[in-house]
Amino acid sequence: MATDSFGRRIDYLRISVTDRCNLRCIYCMPDEGVPFKSHEEILALEEIEHFAAAAVAEGISKIRLTGGEPLVRKGIVEHVRRLRKLTGLEAIAITTNGQLLTRMARDLVEAGLERVNVSLDSLDPDVFAHVTRGGHLSDTLAGIDAAFAAGMHPIKINVVVVRSLHQDLVSFARMTMERPIHIRFIEYMPVGGESEPSPGGACVSETSVGGWTAADHVPSDEILAELMVKGAEAGLGALEPVSRDAAPGGWGPARYFRFAGAPGTVGVISPLSHHFCGECNRLRLTADGKLRTCLFSDDEFDARTVLREGTDDDVRALIREALAAKPESHNMRIGTLRRMSQIGG
Ligand code: SAM
């Protein structure tokens, strides 16, 4: 079992398999895009598998593949199949925009993938196209249907709540009345936007960084209050808390609720308003092979060089070194050097 220097159990690794994406979400990538890393800079799938094996040997038992968009990485299905064979790995999951799931869901399940999180910020086709800069809502909805048909479980929807988008939260809540789908409303996080490292991070009172502004951040308590009031008005009934035992098996800090009688749930993830650093259980590997100990910390460990030039023991030692350096808290830091598409969410 891996623990960090604050006694937290670290058993979850998020791996970004590519920095490329087939969408350009307004809060994730700047309009002009980000310069993609060269082929040589990006880890080969074999290198990722090497790292994953070392991480599992160090106590990681859950792996999530992310990106960029993980489903655009060539060879991803076989990659899942090989990762799934790691002894000690309990489960593998993917976070995707869902656009390619219609084609790939069955093969992914057959390769050993069960869990999927689909990012979907609006059920209005025009808002969806605006947020994704040109994506088609129908493709993601068809992808979710394909995930159900292929037997993926649990199926969760990530909705980043951005005030100026005026998203209709109740439209998502309605989805939970129809099938066992789990909607997670995520507070918009100030990731990216910093061109220079600033000692101790930028100031919390800074209200704008990259595309993020404090005015666009909606605290999860406000999200829940809106769901309660507007859900009742829409005839969805009372919103009841779901106990941890009854919640859709999660690896993270979501708090779940259910409209009475619904097969699905609604949850909130509050990285800013109720930060959950004390329960943080994760490490992140970027597509270019940098190990990050905190989403908001730009201190990275160069796994790529160790994978290319070192031994298995060196890779494991690097993971232990990173664990020992994992910060206690994100300290409400605003802004990071990399955008979310380069970190993996
Ligand atoms: N392309 C995949 C997808 O769309 O799910 C995986 C990568 S994406 C970077 C992972 C997640 O990060 C998505 O759910 C996305 O909405 C979320 N995300 C990106 N920027 C964010 C931000 N500033 N605050 C909160 N969530 C963000």
Side-chain angles (χ1 to χ4, degrees):
M1 181 175 95
T3 48
D4 70 2
S5 49
F6 300 97
R8 291 172 298 197
R9 180 179 175 174
I10 310 298
D11 59 1
Y12 173 21
L13 174 66
R14 296 178 68 100
I15 300 176
S16 174
V17 294
T18 178
D19 58 347
R20 291 167 198 243
C21 191
N22 46 358
L23 296 179
R24 290 280 176 280
C25 296
I26 47 176
Y27 52 73
C28 196
M29 269 196 197
D31 205 3
E32 65 281 10
V34 281
F36 293 129
K37 301 278 175 186
S38 68
H39 184 67
E40 293 70 39
E41 288 174 289
I42 296 295
L43 291 185
L45 293 180
E46 294 70 23
E47 290 171 331
I48 295 178
E49 288 153 24
H50 182 181
F51 184 88
V56 170
E58 286 298 323
I60 292 293
S61 55
K62 303 160 188 157
I63 288 181
R64 175 175 300 281
L65 303 180
T66 175
E69 170 51 41
L71 298 187
V72 304
R73 177 83 196 239
K74 207 165 159 234
I76 191 72
V77 172
E78 291 312 310
H79 184 54
V80 167
R81 195 187 310 281
R82 289 190 295 270
L83 287 175
R84 198 68 198 85
K85 290 189 180 136
L86 288 174
T87 309
L89 185 69
E90 284 167 18
I92 182 160
I94 209 157
T95 296
T96 170
N97 59 38
Q99 297 264 303
L100 296 175
L101 272 179
T102 29
R103 274 188 246 160
M104 300 175 74
R106 258 182 217 291
D107 289 347
L108 286 164
V109 168
E110 191 265 324
L113 185 98
E114 290 173 346
R115 311 171 66 97
V116 68
N117 289 7
V118 179
S119 305
L120 170 59
D121 295 328
S122 177
L123 294 170
D124 176 316
D126 295 331
V127 178
F128 183 90
H130 165 69
V131 173
T132 57
R133 295 204 186 90
H136 297 289
L137 172 65
S138 53
D139 291 342
T140 291
L141 293 179
I144 294 168
D145 288 344
F148 271 103
M152 287 182 171
H153 172 81
I155 297 176
K156 299 181 182 175
I157 307 297
N158 289 351
V159 184
V160 178
V161 181
V162 179
R163 194 180 301 279
S164 57
L165 288 177
H166 306 291
Q167 291 139 296
D168 176 2
L169 306 189
V170 172
S171 64
F172 285 103
R174 273 201 199 90
M175 292 171 88
T176 71
M177 308 303 284
E178 288 153 19
R179 50 187 181 177
I181 199 162
H182 306 287
I183 310 288
R184 293 117 50 81
F185 295 105
I186 304 176
E187 290 180 4
Y188 184 24
M189 290 182 268
V191 174
E194 240 189 20
S195 53
E196 295 291 329
S198 61
C203 172
V204 184
S205 62
E206 200 169 323
T207 53
S208 170
V209 59
W212 184 91
T213 65
D216 262 340
H217 170 249
V218 185
S220 60
D221 289 350
E222 188 181 326
I223 296 172
L224 285 173
E226 178 170 337
L227 282 170
M228 249 175 243
V229 172
K230 293 198 177 159
E233 280 168 13
L236 301 188
L239 190 61
E240 304 160 346
V242 174
S243 70
R244 262 188 185 262
D245 294 344
W251 302 350
R255 289 178 288 146
Y256 286 100
F257 301 80
R258 187 190 298 283
F259 284 98
T265 62
V266 292
V268 286
I269 302 182
S270 333
L272 298 187
S273 66
H274 298 275
H275 82 76
F276 35 76
C277 302
E279 294 163 48
C280 187
N281 58 349
R282 60 194 65 186
L283 292 174
R284 293 178 163 81
L285 183 68
T286 64
D288 60 345
K290 305 293 160 120
L291 186 57
R292 287 176 78 100
T293 56
C294 171
L295 178 59
F296 289 95
S297 168
D298 288 315
D299 294 339
E300 297 182 337
F301 292 79
D302 184 5
R304 186 179 67 204
T305 302
V306 178
L307 283 164
R308 291 184 182 171
E309 296 172 13
T311 62
D312 263 3
D313 284 347
D314 295 334
V315 179
R316 290 184 60 171
L318 184 86
I319 294 169
R320 288 195 295 273
E321 195 189 329
L323 282 174
K326 188 170 162 67
E328 186 174 16
S329 152
H330 61 46
N331 291 319
M332 298 305 284
R333 180 173 171 165
I334 307 287
T336 51
L337 288 175
R338 294 190 194 233
R339 300 291 298 224
M340 199 70 114
S341 65
Q342 300 166 305
I343 302 174

